[in-house]
Amino acid sequence: MLPPSFLAAPIAHRALHDRAAGRPENSVEAIEAAIVAGYGIEIDLQLSADGRAMVFHDYDLARLTGEKGAIQRRSASELGASRLLGGATGIPTLPQVLDLVAGRVPLLIELKDQDGALGAAVGRLEEATAQALAAYDGPAAVMSFNPNSVRIMAGLAPDLPRGLTTCSFRPEDWMLIPGGTRDRLRDIPDYDDVHAHFISHEAQDLDRPRVAQLKSQGVPVLCWTIRSPEQEAQARRIADNVTFEGYAAEIPS
């Protein structure tokens, strides 16, 4: 169910971003650069105050815009007017990005958890995402750390490829997530239940036995985040493709 194009060209993490070069992460500029280079693109989605899917990684605006406050407290139009630091444009909506990409490269879309603890209080972002993607003809896939989001997407858009974003769930990196939830998710127990088609796993944890088990069953394994050719070579011993940033990943001929 995951189109072969997702296993071909490397996938640019938050698009081909380089703030110093005028391409902030998840920006129109970074997306355009990735398309020109021929990479796949990974983007993140957050929800606006008026229920729009916004292409943005953080829950707070400060790091990427210099402004204070949560992204969920502003409308899509307000967020579109919030210029990303180092760039010339504001925070785009998912429909704007879909119009820009227009099927030219694969688009890997991560839905950021809206529950706060990877729980079941989700649905609005998934609905906005499914609505935006309903008429999109290009290669696209969705994923999330929250299995509940993936389960909802299976119901809203059953023909859309979907996967689980997975990792070692180290306590120091996931302090807001209950320990029992971290322990449960660490071994990817929901893969079959949410009818997933792939995983995107933490590169430093690719030797996990559960990853090997899924791979042996034919599950495509993507990984994140690769930051050098050396890391890429190591990851590709297990992973079928990489999500990268900070260097020019080689596109197979």
Side-chain angles (χ1 to χ4, degrees):
M1 288 291 293
L2 186 67
S5 57
F6 283 91
L7 306 180
I11 300 170
H13 186 234
R14 305 178 194 171
L16 194 61
H17 65 89
D18 181 347
R19 184 184 289 186
R23 308 192 307 267
E25 62 185 62
N26 281 315
S27 67
V28 166
E29 296 93 329
I31 291 166
E32 289 176 334
I35 294 169
V36 170
Y39 293 124
I41 298 172
E42 186 263 357
I43 58 172
D44 305 282
L45 297 185
Q46 294 278 11
L47 193 68
S48 69
D50 50 349
R52 302 286 298 281
M54 308 300 300
V55 180
F56 196 78
H57 178 272
D58 295 3
Y59 296 93
D60 187 85
L61 294 166
R63 180 178 70 91
L64 297 169
T65 70
E67 302 176 18
K68 294 182 179 180
I71 187 170
Q72 284 198 17
R73 295 185 177 179
R74 299 201 188 181
S75 68
S77 62
E78 291 172 324
L79 294 168
S82 297
R83 188 175 64 85
L84 293 163
L85 293 174
T89 60
I91 301 170
T93 65
L94 177 56
Q96 288 170 338
V97 167
L98 295 177
D99 287 343
L100 174 60
V101 176
R104 289 179 286 173
V105 297
L107 192 59
L108 182 61
I109 302 168
E110 181 180 342
L111 285 76
K112 305 307 290 186
D113 177 43
Q114 304 295 295
D115 174 88
L118 299 178
V122 293
R124 293 181 65 216
L125 178 57
E126 292 75 13
E127 290 172 359
T129 302
Q131 182 178 5
L133 286 165
Y136 187 66
D137 291 332
V142 295
M143 62 182 183
S144 181
F145 281 104
N146 190 332
N148 297 288
S149 293
V150 182
R151 185 180 295 109
I152 290 171
M153 289 302 303
L156 292 171
D159 295 330
L160 183 68
R162 54 194 172 271
L164 287 166
T165 321
T166 52
C167 68
S168 61
F169 285 100
R170 290 184 295 270
E172 60 269 27
D173 296 331
W174 295 85
M175 291 184 293
L176 299 180
I177 306 302
T181 300
R182 294 195 305 264
D183 292 342
R184 179 181 179 278
L185 294 179
R186 194 169 288 124
D187 286 317
I188 319 175
D190 300 294
Y191 185 85
D192 292 325
D193 180 56
V194 302
H195 304 289
H197 303 121
F198 66 94
I199 62 170
S200 182
H201 196 74
E202 176 187 5
Q204 291 76 20
D205 192 60
L206 281 169
D207 59 354
R208 182 168 296 276
R210 176 60 168 156
V211 173
Q213 180 186 41
L214 289 169
K215 185 175 176 66
S216 72
Q217 296 170 0
V219 172
V221 177
L222 310 179
C223 72
W224 55 271
T225 301
I226 301 299
R227 295 183 171 88
S228 71
E230 294 76 20
Q231 289 183 4
E232 179 176 345
Q234 181 71 20
R236 285 190 181 277
R237 296 178 182 180
I238 297 172
D240 298 298
N241 201 4
V242 300
T243 307
F244 75 96
E245 68 178 22
Y247 73 104
E250 184 176 348
I251 298 177
S253 56

